[in-house]
Amino acid sequence: MSETNQTTTTKRTFYSLALVAVLAVLIFASVNLYLSMQQQAAQLTHSVAPNEAIIEPPVPEKQIVENKDESNSLPEYTKMEAPQAAEPNVSIDVPAIIIPPLDESDIKIKQVLTEFYTPQLLNLIVNDDIVRRVVVFVDNLAQGKLAQKHTPFIKPLEPFTAIEEDILTISPQSYQRYDPYVDLFVQIPPKQAVALYQQYSVLFDEAYQEIGYPDKSFTGTMREAIDLILATPVVTGNVPLIAQSVTYKFAYSEWEQLPAAQKQLLRMGPRNLKKLKAALKLIKQELPPEQQVEQ
């Protein structure tokens, strides 16, 4: 082969190798560029994702229809069923009170009182004509009198006693005889005492009409009797007496001249009188206003 041909062949081989090298470099660069762009896109996605809005999945067609129906309604938690109106004239857990005739009221009155008093205290109350006795006794008490024959209470079994020393005085045992009677007024709460009286006030008014007060409520007379008790003086210390045959009278004229009802209250002793006053004062506050009795 001539030298000229050999030179030409060598140059062609060199150009072919160079062309192949250039193509390889371009392919490699393209691949790297593509991978680099993919990596940047991925980084860009991760960096932007926290600030992008969350795309919620589409709401099913059925739910959309239900929401359209409730679009004008209040939120579910505010919906409340309208309360059912109570039927008129229906008493709930309040038993009907049957008022017996006045002549047949003793058993009912005693039965009601068993809810407040022990049998020992109940034995202090008479068993016959309770309402009528209370009315007559209170009516006399309001006038300062003692209706001994119409008292609603059993008389104390222990007799009145006095202590004879330098002066004649009331024995403390005489005061203690009235302890259980005062308990009759102290043990029952004032509100319940007045509520009980109001339940059976028609019987008291009927008995009050029987003794000559057709147009007046018994409540007014009861207030007057309570006022007389509240006005009774409380005497502390020894109470001097004067013996008269088989009876006694107070040595001090200001006590002896008191109405008979107030003198009897003094014989109960200062401790019992204070307790009785406190109980009756609360009862008076609970009493309803006096009203005229309807005919």
Side-chain angles (χ1 to χ4, degrees):
M1 180 181 296
S2 68
E3 185 176 352
T4 301
N5 293 334
Q6 185 177 0
T7 300
T8 301
T9 301
T10 301
K11 288 181 178 181
R12 289 177 178 175
T13 301
F14 175 75
Y15 289 141
S16 297
L17 292 173
L19 181 60
V20 171
V22 171
L23 291 175
V25 170
L26 291 174
I27 294 173
F28 180 76
S30 300
V31 171
N32 284 341
L33 179 60
Y34 175 79
L35 294 176
S36 176
M37 292 176 65
Q38 291 292 328
Q39 185 177 4
Q40 291 179 359
Q43 292 177 351
L44 181 60
T45 301
H46 288 297
S47 63
V48 175
N51 297 326
E52 292 181 350
I54 299 175
I55 300 177
E56 296 181 353
V59 181
E61 182 178 356
K62 180 179 180 180
Q63 183 175 350
I64 293 176
V65 173
E66 292 176 351
N67 289 340
K68 286 182 178 179
D69 293 339
E70 297 178 358
S71 60
N72 295 325
S73 63
L74 295 174
E76 184 175 356
Y77 64 88
T78 62
K79 291 182 180 179
M80 298 179 62
E81 294 294 332
Q84 297 294 329
E87 295 183 7
N89 302 325
V90 176
S91 109
I92 302 175
D93 296 330
V94 179
I97 299 174
I98 301 176
I99 305 298
L102 180 59
D103 291 337
E104 303 173 8
S105 61
D106 292 324
I107 296 177
K108 182 63 176 180
I109 296 296
K110 270 291 185 86
Q111 180 183 359
V112 173
L113 292 178
T114 58
E115 300 177 8
F116 305 99
Y117 299 126
T118 62
Q120 290 77 11
L121 288 180
L122 280 177
N123 289 336
L124 299 176
I125 302 175
V126 298
N127 294 320
D128 64 302
D129 269 345
I130 298 175
V131 173
R132 287 189 173 99
R133 287 175 180 268
V134 169
V135 167
V136 173
F137 189 82
V138 170
D139 179 58
N140 279 266
L141 185 63
Q143 302 173 50
K145 303 175 184 179
L146 280 177
Q148 298 283 8
K149 294 182 179 180
H150 301 280
T151 176
F153 308 113
I154 303 296
K155 293 182 179 180
L157 298 178
E158 300 85 357
F160 177 86
T161 57
I163 299 177
E164 188 171 359
E165 294 179 346
D166 294 338
I167 58 175
L168 190 64
T169 59
I170 299 178
S171 169
Q173 285 74 22
S174 290
Y175 296 151
Q176 295 172 3
R177 298 183 303 156
Y178 296 99
D179 289 353
Y181 296 91
V182 174
D183 287 340
L184 287 172
F185 295 91
V186 174
Q187 286 192 4
I188 182 171
K191 287 184 179 296
Q192 295 186 13
V194 174
L196 181 62
Y197 165 70
Q198 288 184 287
Q199 288 176 358
Y200 296 93
S201 60
V202 61
L203 297 180
F204 290 96
D205 286 336
E206 181 181 347
Y208 198 46
Q209 293 172 23
E210 287 181 352
I211 62 174
Y213 300 95
D215 302 324
K216 186 178 179 182
S217 169
F218 180 63
T219 302
T221 301
M222 185 178 294
R223 287 180 180 276
E224 295 173 3
I226 292 176
D227 288 339
L228 180 133
I229 295 175
L230 296 179
T232 304
V234 177
V235 179
T236 58
N238 294 329
V239 179
L241 301 173
I242 296 176
Q244 282 190 333
S245 182
V246 294
T247 61
Y248 299 92
K249 70 177 185 178
F250 293 106
Y252 295 154
S253 60
E254 60 265 32
W255 300 340
E256 184 60 28
Q257 292 175 2
L258 290 172
Q262 289 186 325
K263 287 195 290 186
Q264 177 61 44
L265 291 169
L266 291 184
R267 296 187 183 98
M268 297 173 58
R271 177 175 171 271
N272 280 329
L273 183 54
K274 288 179 180 178
K275 292 172 62 177
L276 180 62
K277 282 187 173 187
L280 291 178
K281 186 176 181 180
L282 295 176
I283 289 176
K284 181 183 176 182
Q285 293 175 355
E286 298 294 333
L287 283 174
E290 183 180 0
Q291 297 179 351
Q292 295 293 325
V293 179
E294 295 182 1
Q295 298 297 313

